[in-house]
């Protein structure tokens, strides 16, 4: 069966339009025809086409101009220029402007059918390419985690190995590295996947509230306990409890949690009866628990209870090779969410993304791409679509053996960036006159970064 | 029951048409009625190209004939505004089509049997279009597109299974 091939015919002459469309339809293509370049552009804006057959001579916008506009909207759309008068000049112009091919009407049936055959073959190769890319992407993806970095691949393997065990798992990593995603992946890969996945962030709650959240309480346990409430541990029965920011819990809760991990049973606050639950605990922290233990802020016995299996998630700056992969993953995600069809990130924008140090890790990168998708006007993400702080190159910091000139350049750059290249303001802050500042800008070849619109 | 009208337009080898129509009736188990339009379709003549525009003939059939499916037969050099020549043309899933014997004689060494076989294939091919069939990618199916007579000779004189199935369901729909 033929793949769905959609052809747009653009010709001002009705008889040409009709006979070409009819023939293309007989050949099994989906065809739409319009009589002007302007209408063609509207069609290209609205939907995806396999190819456009555009007449060279049309009143108003001619074929070449129409092609130029079409290419701005969809640079990969092959445009075939049709002309009644074959001259070398027009052929050369058409091809130079990016036409896929050039055909003189009336066409020889053999010629047009061969040309379209080639085009369909090209399209099926493109589709195959997209399919293979997706397959490849899947190889680098585990659940919602994306990464081809060796450490990440090791983590994916480890998740598969430990998922079915009952052991407690400790996930360590900076904020935004995807600790919760790893916990979810462990849950979804384990035999507990049909059970609940319950999360509790320990940092957000004061000690007493955290205990109530974790263990639940009986009616009358404290002033506001008007009804009996089940805690997260009970809610997670048969599934996984994810305790985020475990490094932040109080000494009292640490003891209670330790008891639960040892006995696998607990009491609700104010309760007398022991409750037994089947829960796998996955804990996460962005702090170094070992250091907290050394400082006496975290119980050593609890640390060893939690630290049966440890997963260390590398920060994004240590797995830069994953950035392009993550970018395209988020691009696809936010394209769908925002009903956009942004094809890719421009090379200079990608360069900026790669050179940024991402203190907020994958979460920060995701937010950055989401923002870019929302504000991007065309189908290419440009540097101006990125937040300001990413566009400011990380200036080399102070080094002991720096020359005075190097130091001066860095300082001038910093001030200029801070005041958005306002020369008057910057020269005032620097304590020099404007002419001197101009001279120094020229001398050190300091360039202004384009600001976002 | 009469299902298709075969309209002979101008001067055409009647015997060849009758033979092909009979063969087609047997293949598809349908009835066809042959009718005549003696006048040469001068209205479709294009002076500049010295050829007949097939679309004009189709338009005329559409406006003047009452049958639901009409296939005109001519012995004229047919073309369309965009193609230098055609062996025939038909409205996809429509009412009218046309087939020409003219170019089918190329390289036939005066052998009427070769021309007959080509004509029969093109008759089935345009009929297929009238019943909504598009070109088929199978080389031996009669719905495979032929840009020249060699390609007509190379393809089979049968519909492939998929095309036949679609054609038969279309024929059943009409009953």
């Amino acid at each position: 069966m033929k793949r769905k091939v959609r052809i747009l015919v653009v010709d001002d002459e009705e008889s040409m339009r009709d006979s070409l469309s009819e023939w293309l339809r007989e050949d099994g293509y989906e065809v739409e025809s319009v009589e002007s370049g302007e209408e063609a552009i509207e069609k290209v804006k609205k939907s995806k086409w396999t190819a456009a057959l555009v007449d060279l001579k049309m009143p108003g916008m001619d074929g070449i101009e129409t092609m130029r506009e079409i290419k701005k909207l969809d640079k990969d759309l092959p445009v075939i220029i049709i002309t009644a008068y074959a001259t070398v000049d027009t052929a050369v112009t058409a091809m130079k402007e990016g036409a896929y091919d050039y055909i003189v009407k009336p066409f020889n049936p053999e010629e047009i059918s061969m040309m379209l055959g080639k085009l369909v073959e090209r399209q099926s190769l493109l589709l195959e390419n997209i399919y293979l890319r997706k397959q490849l992407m899947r190889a680098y993806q585990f659940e919602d985690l994306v990464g081809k970095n060796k450490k990440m691949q090791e983590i994916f393997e480890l998740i598969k190995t430990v998922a079915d065990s009952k052991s407690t798992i400790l996930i360590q990593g900076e904020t935004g590295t995807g600790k919760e995603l790893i916990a979810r992946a462990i849950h979804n890969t384990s035999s507990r996947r049909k059970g609940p996945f319950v999360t509790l962030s320990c940092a957000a709650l004061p000690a007493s509230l955290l205990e109530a959240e974790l263990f639940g309480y009986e009616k009358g346990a404290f002033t506001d306990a008007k009804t009996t409430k089940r805690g997260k541990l009970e809610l997670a029965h048969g599934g996984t409890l994810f305790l985020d920011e475990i490094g932040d819990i109080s000494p009292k809760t640490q003891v209670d949690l330790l008891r639960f991990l040892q006995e696998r049973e607990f009491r609700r606050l104010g309760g007398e009866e022991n409750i037994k639950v089947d829960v796998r605990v996955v804990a996460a922290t962005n702090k170094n628990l070992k250091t907290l233990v050394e400082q006496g802020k975290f119980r050593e016995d609890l640390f060893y209870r939690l630290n049966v299996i440890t997963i260390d998630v590398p920060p994004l700056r240590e797995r830069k090779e994953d950035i392009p992969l993550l970018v395209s993953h988020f691009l696809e995600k936010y394209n769908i969410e925002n009903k956009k069809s942004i094809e890719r990130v421009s090379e200079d924008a990608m360069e900026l993304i790669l050179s940024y140090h991402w203190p907020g890790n994958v979460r920060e990168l995701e937010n950055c791409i989401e923002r870019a998708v929302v504000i991007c006007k065309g189908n290419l993400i440009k540097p101006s679509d990125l937040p300001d702080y990413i566009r400011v190159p990380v200036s080399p910091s102070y080094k002991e053996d720096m020359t005075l000139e190097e130091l001066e350049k860095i300082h001038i750059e910093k001030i200029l960036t801070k005041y958005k290249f306002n020369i008057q303001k910057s020269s005032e802050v620097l304590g020099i006159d404007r002419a001197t500042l101009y001279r120094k800008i020229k001398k050190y070849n300091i360039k202004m970064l384009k600001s976002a619109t | 029951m009469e299902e298709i009208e075969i309209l002979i337009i101008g001067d055409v080898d009647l015997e060849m048409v009758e033979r092909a129509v009979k063969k087609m009736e047997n293949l598809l188990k349908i009835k066809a009625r042959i009718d005549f339009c003696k006048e040469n379709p001068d209205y479709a003549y294009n002076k500049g190209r010295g050829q007949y525009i097939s679309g004009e003939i189709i338009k005329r059939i559409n406006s003047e004939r009452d049958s639901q499916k009409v296939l005109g037969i001519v012995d004229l050099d047919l073309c369309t505004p965009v193609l230098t020549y055609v062996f025939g043309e038909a409205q996809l899933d429509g009412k009218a089509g046309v087939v020409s014997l003219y170019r089918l004689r190329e390289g036939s060494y005066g052998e009427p049997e070769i021309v007959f076989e080509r004509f029969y294939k093109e008759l089935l091919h345009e009929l297929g279009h009238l019943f909504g069939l598009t070109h088929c990618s199978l080389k031996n199916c009669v719905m495979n597109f032929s840009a020249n007579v060699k390609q007509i000779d190379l393809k089979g004189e049968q519909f492939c299974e998929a095309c036949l199935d679609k054609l038969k369901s279309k024929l059943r729909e009409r009953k």
Side-chain angles (χ1 to χ4, degrees), chain A residues 1-2 15-16 19-20 22-23 25-28 105-110 112-113, chain B residues 49 80-85 89-92 126 129 133-135 145 147-148 151:
Chain A
M1 220 179 93
K2 255 183 194 158
S15 64
M16 288 286 168
S19 67
L20 184 54
E22 188 62 43
W23 187 82
R25 260 180 221 119
E26 279 182 8
D27 218 19
K105 65 186 174 185
F107 328 131
N108 182 310
E110 282 178 79
I112 179 99
S113 109
Chain B
R49 295 173 62 169
T80 77
V82 288
L83 294 174
T84 47
Y85 63 88
E89 191 188 351
Q91 293 174 302
L92 195 64
E126 296 309 332
H129 283 323
L133 297 185
T134 56
H135 288 156
F145 171 67
N148 53 42
Q151 288 172 358

Side-chain angles (χ1 to χ4, degrees), chain A residues 39-99:
Chain A
E39 284 174 75
I41 286 149
E42 285 309 306
K43 289 277 177 196
V44 175
K45 269 186 197 159
K46 277 187 195 134
S47 56
K48 194 96 188 144
W49 299 89
T50 314
L53 292 166
V54 182
D55 189 33
L56 182 68
K57 279 208 172 126
M58 291 185 289
M61 236 176 154
D62 72 1
I64 300 283
E65 216 180 316
T66 306
M67 173 167 71
R68 258 188 230 136
E69 292 302 313
I70 287 177
K71 291 272 173 190
K72 274 186 204 161
L73 296 166
D74 183 355
K75 71 170 173 42
D76 295 326
L77 176 65
V79 177
I80 298 168
I81 294 285
I82 307 169
T83 172
Y85 316 95
T87 68
V88 176
D89 271 359
T90 50
V92 169
T93 315
M95 298 310 278
K96 264 192 183 163
E97 291 281 344

Side-chain angles (χ1 to χ4, degrees), chain A residues 257-438:
Chain A
L257 187 61
L258 178 67
R259 189 175 305 135
F260 167 74
L261 290 174
Q262 276 167 346
E263 320 281 333
R264 296 275 153 191
E265 55 182 30
F266 66 96
R267 281 181 190 178
R268 289 188 195 133
L269 301 187
E272 287 174 350
E273 152 196 14
N274 284 344
I275 298 169
K276 229 181 160 48
V277 286
D278 171 27
V279 171
R280 133 68 78 67
V281 174
V282 178
T285 177
N286 57 10
K287 292 183 177 150
N288 191 330
L289 280 193
K290 189 116 204 200
T291 319
L292 291 180
V293 170
E294 280 159 16
Q295 292 168 350
K297 287 180 185 157
F298 201 83
R299 290 183 69 102
E300 196 171 6
D301 43 7
L302 178 59
F303 172 66
Y304 288 119
R305 263 289 156 192
L306 290 172
N307 198 19
V308 183
I309 295 156
T310 310
I311 296 176
D312 281 308
V313 197
L316 190 55
R317 61 182 173 280
E318 280 174 28
R319 52 179 187 115
K320 289 216 157 164
E321 68 269 41
D322 283 348
I323 290 180
L325 209 62
L326 286 160
V327 166
S328 68
H329 174 73
F330 293 136
L331 204 58
E332 197 174 343
K333 180 176 169 186
Y334 290 107
N335 260 336
I336 296 168
E337 247 175 51
N338 296 291
K339 293 196 178 64
K340 289 213 170 181
S341 50
I342 294 162
E343 302 272 345
R344 49 189 214 92
V345 173
S346 76
E347 271 174 39
D348 37 357
M350 185 56 99
E351 225 167 82
L352 289 173
I353 291 174
L354 283 168
S355 59
Y356 183 62
H357 60 297
W358 299 109
N361 292 297
V362 185
R363 187 186 290 130
E364 189 186 4
L365 176 66
E366 178 169 3
N367 290 347
C368 163
I369 300 300
E370 182 181 4
R371 172 189 191 272
V373 168
V374 171
I375 67 171
C376 177
K377 288 213 177 79
N379 61 356
L380 181 72
I381 290 181
K382 295 172 288 299
S384 56
D385 299 324
L386 300 173
D388 281 345
Y389 59 86
I390 288 175
R391 288 184 291 131
V392 176
V394 188
S395 48
S397 48
Y398 172 75
K399 279 184 241 130
E400 272 183 14
D401 46 3
M402 232 175 203
T403 65
L404 212 51
E405 280 200 339
E406 279 169 338
L407 197 62
E408 186 179 59
K409 182 187 174 194
I410 291 169
H411 188 60
I412 292 174
E413 260 176 352
K414 268 192 187 157
I415 298 297
L416 283 168
T417 312
K418 187 175 175 186
Y419 295 103
K420 297 195 168 117
F421 265 72
N422 182 328
I423 301 293
Q424 181 67 40
K425 185 87 195 144
S426 301
S427 61
E428 273 170 35
V429 173
L430 288 165
I432 50 178
D433 59 47
R434 294 170 41 146
T436 314
L437 180 55
Y438 274 121

Side-chain angles (χ1 to χ4, degrees), chain B residues 153-170:
Chain B
D153 291 339
L154 282 171
K155 73 178 172 188
E157 54 167 44
Q158 298 275 348
F159 291 97
C160 72
E161 272 187 325
C163 288
L164 190 64
D165 186 66
K166 191 173 172 194
L167 180 64
K168 284 198 165 159
S169 76
K170 279 276 180 184

Side-chain angles (χ1 to χ4, degrees), chain B residues 1 6 14 35 40 44 47 58 64 104 108 127 135 153 157:
Chain B
M1 195 182 107
I6 303 292
L14 179 61
D35 208 340
N40 195 58
K47 246 193 192 163
I58 287 173
E64 289 184 355
L104 301 179
S108 66
L127 191 80
H135 288 156
D153 291 339
E157 54 167 44

